[in-house]
Amino acid sequence: MAGALADWAAKAAHQLSPRTGGEADARPRHIAIIMDGNGRWATARGMPRAFGHSAGVQALRNTVEAAGDLGIEVLTVYAFSTENWRRPPDEIEALFGLLRGFIRSDLTRLDRAGVRIRVLGEREGVPADILTLMDQAEKQTEGNTIMTLVIAFNYGGQAEIARATQEIARQAAAGLIDPETIGPDTIAQFLPSRDWPNPDLVIRTSGEQRLSNFLIWQSAYAEFLVFDTLWPDFGRPQLEEALQVFAKRNRRYGGV
């Protein structure tokens, strides 16, 4: 296991070296994924939804490893939205249990592989033991540089923007910011995601074609790719296909 981890870290470090042209320029630095379809995957097999969420955790492991191998610098995954509180209590608790299990079982492995973990989202309402695990994961891996894994948990894009604008308003009222100078760059600097690049590619599984309040500011010029594949069946082949599609896109950023 130690040898495999070392090989993965070495390969990822090589692929994260400065890009000077050719195919590397067509590779996204940051991929964001809306992991959708766990419930339908389980229902199709006559199993409870929690079974699908459990299978989805394994898909996450496979995808994180594949992203490291493929030289992706940042991978953001949508694990739990602010709207997911509307789900049945037993399903919410199952999702919380899976996050607990993922951090406890995978933190050491990810840390040794050079993965930095960041958690994006509201802390209010999240169980205290999960907050402790999140803080532990961020602190333990803060010095890692091979790849950043951002877990969007209890996250909502509209709430994120609202909080940023509230803070900007407070600073403007205190005379720390000139309102006439406030622009997109100002807002971006007050978002928690300011520490890493915006996503180049947003992937959604299960065939649904909407952002669902996910990184709505940061994804303004991201490429969008939908897979019919349900999340538990997503892995390296689909991620490699996504990179091939991305390489053929012409990103004009509003220009000609």
Side-chain angles (χ1 to χ4, degrees):
M1 176 65 73
L5 287 169
D7 290 345
W8 177 39
K11 184 187 299 182
H14 172 71
Q15 294 184 337
L16 284 178
S17 58
R19 297 170 185 174
T20 57
E23 293 184 5
D25 291 333
R27 183 188 305 138
R29 296 181 63 196
H30 180 178
I31 295 178
I33 303 180
I34 302 171
M35 305 181 294
D36 193 20
N38 291 342
R40 277 166 282 175
W41 186 90
T43 299
R45 289 159 176 76
M47 301 296 289
R49 291 175 61 87
F51 180 74
H53 294 312
S54 181
V57 171
Q58 185 56 50
L60 174 58
R61 291 189 181 103
N62 296 340
T63 302
V64 171
E65 182 175 355
D69 289 345
L70 294 167
I72 305 304
E73 296 180 33
V74 183
L75 176 67
T76 298
V77 294
Y78 206 7
F80 188 85
S81 75
T82 50
E83 291 75 29
N84 285 158
W85 289 104
R86 302 170 187 167
R87 296 189 177 191
D90 57 340
E91 184 173 351
I92 292 174
E93 182 52 41
L95 287 168
F96 286 175
L98 290 170
L99 179 63
R100 293 184 184 100
F102 176 74
I103 294 177
R104 287 168 178 162
S105 64
D106 290 59
L107 178 56
T108 298
R109 178 179 64 83
L110 292 171
D111 186 25
R112 289 176 179 172
V115 177
R116 179 178 67 152
I117 297 175
R118 297 292 300 272
V119 180
L120 187 65
E122 303 292 327
R123 300 297 175 106
E124 184 178 353
V126 177
D129 67 314
I130 292 183
L131 292 178
T132 299
L133 286 171
M134 290 176 175
D135 290 341
Q136 176 190 349
E138 290 187 319
K139 184 176 181 179
Q140 183 173 329
T141 63
E142 62 184 352
N144 293 341
T145 59
I146 297 299
M147 185 177 76
T148 297
L149 172 62
V150 182
I151 302 174
F153 189 85
N154 197 27
Y155 172 82
Q158 292 178 331
E160 177 185 54
I161 296 169
R163 283 191 179 274
T165 54
Q166 287 169 1
E167 182 57 30
I168 292 170
R170 281 191 287 267
Q171 294 202 19
L176 301 174
I177 294 178
D178 179 357
E180 296 301 320
T181 67
I182 296 173
D185 290 343
T186 312
I187 295 173
Q189 286 303 309
F190 281 84
L191 297 175
S193 59
R194 61 185 174 273
D195 294 334
W196 52 86
N198 288 336
D200 301 295
L201 174 63
V202 176
I203 297 172
R204 180 161 189 153
T205 59
S206 85
E208 301 292 346
Q209 300 188 41
R210 57 181 177 272
L211 282 174
S212 296
N213 204 16
F214 180 54
L215 299 180
I216 54 178
W217 177 275
Q218 299 88 338
S219 298
Y221 279 102
E223 296 297 311
F224 192 50
L225 182 59
V226 174
F227 279 87
D228 290 332
T229 306
L230 301 177
W231 175 248
D233 292 326
F234 191 93
R236 183 183 299 268
Q238 290 77 20
L239 193 59
E240 290 178 343
E241 180 182 346
L243 295 185
Q244 292 171 5
V245 172
F246 180 86
K248 298 175 182 178
R249 296 280 178 92
N250 181 14
R251 305 184 73 197
R252 297 187 297 274
Y253 298 97
V256 177

